[in-house]
């Protein structure tokens, strides 16, 4: 009975949108719910003013200096990767050698040039890497120091 009574009350009723509170007119910097403005499209890393205007820059944007970005700059190079596996009773530390195939935020993929076997290494286990050749490296906002012939 209660369900039928609720349905009969709902059918002829018109509902107001909102919470019954008086509407506030938006102040500068405030977005109105009925506003149809769309936020500006911003390319990654572009600065914005407090009012939301995008500042266009002509300076080249470099990737930040994270390990995966440095490894990505050096795809195809042969390296030795030192990894530690805490709590592993069989082997606590391992050394892997191979050519950098790919690098992501949480992993490195290397390949063994002799066998062609690919190995995915997790960055959480990564200690350090060594290379027998110069590396490409770019620090944010500074033009990278590309390898040059060794001076003798």
């Amino acid at each position: 009975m209660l369900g039928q009574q609720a349905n009969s009350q709902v059918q002829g009723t018109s509902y107001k949108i909102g919470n019954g509170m008086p509407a506030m007119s938006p102040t500068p910097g405030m977005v109105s719910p009925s506003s149809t403005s769309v936020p500006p499209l911003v390319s990654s890393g572009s600065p914005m003013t407090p009012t939301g205007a995008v500042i266009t820059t002509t300076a080249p944007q470099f990737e930040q200096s994270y390990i995966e970005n440095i490894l990505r700059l050096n795809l195809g190079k042969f390296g030795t990767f030192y990894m530690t596996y805490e709590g592993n009773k069989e082997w606590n530390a391992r050394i892997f050698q191979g050519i950098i195939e790919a690098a992501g935020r949480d992993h490195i993929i290397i390949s063994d040039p002799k066998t062609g076997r690919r190995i995915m290494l997790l960055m959480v286990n990564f200690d350090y890497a060594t290379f027998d050749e110069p590396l490409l490296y770019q620090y944010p906002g500074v033009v990278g120091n590309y390898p040059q012939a060794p001076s003798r």
Side-chain angles (χ1 to χ4, degrees), residues 13-139:
T13 307
S14 63
Y15 292 94
K16 286 203 271 183
I17 297 175
N19 59 5
M21 300 295 289
M24 291 176 39
S25 57
T27 58
M30 187 177 192
V31 176
S32 168
S34 62
S35 172
T36 58
S37 66
V38 176
L41 295 175
V42 181
S43 61
S44 178
S46 295
M48 293 181 72
T49 66
T51 60
V54 178
I55 300 171
T56 55
T57 59
T58 57
Q61 297 290 324
F62 297 104
E63 290 191 66
Q64 293 184 358
S65 184
Y66 291 111
I67 293 169
E68 68 265 17
N69 295 336
I70 296 167
L71 292 171
R72 254 187 245 122
L73 285 171
N74 292 281
L75 295 178
K77 294 194 177 181
F78 184 87
T80 303
F81 300 85
Y82 297 84
M83 313 293 280
T84 301
Y85 299 89
E86 293 181 28
N88 189 325
K89 294 180 194 290
E90 291 180 42
W91 35 267
N92 181 271
R94 293 217 35 199
I95 299 170
F96 297 90
Q97 290 188 314
I99 296 171
I100 304 171
E101 298 269 329
R105 179 169 286 179
D106 66 345
H107 66 279
I108 307 165
I109 299 174
I110 62 172
S111 64
D112 183 338
K114 295 175 188 165
T115 64
R117 187 175 95 175
R118 286 172 175 69
I119 304 167
M120 184 182 318
L121 304 171
L122 299 179
M123 293 298 283
V124 71
N125 305 114
F126 180 78
D127 292 326
Y128 66 97
T130 59
F131 298 87
D132 292 334
E133 60 184 301
L135 296 177
L136 294 176
Y137 179 72
Q138 290 179 340
Y139 191 74

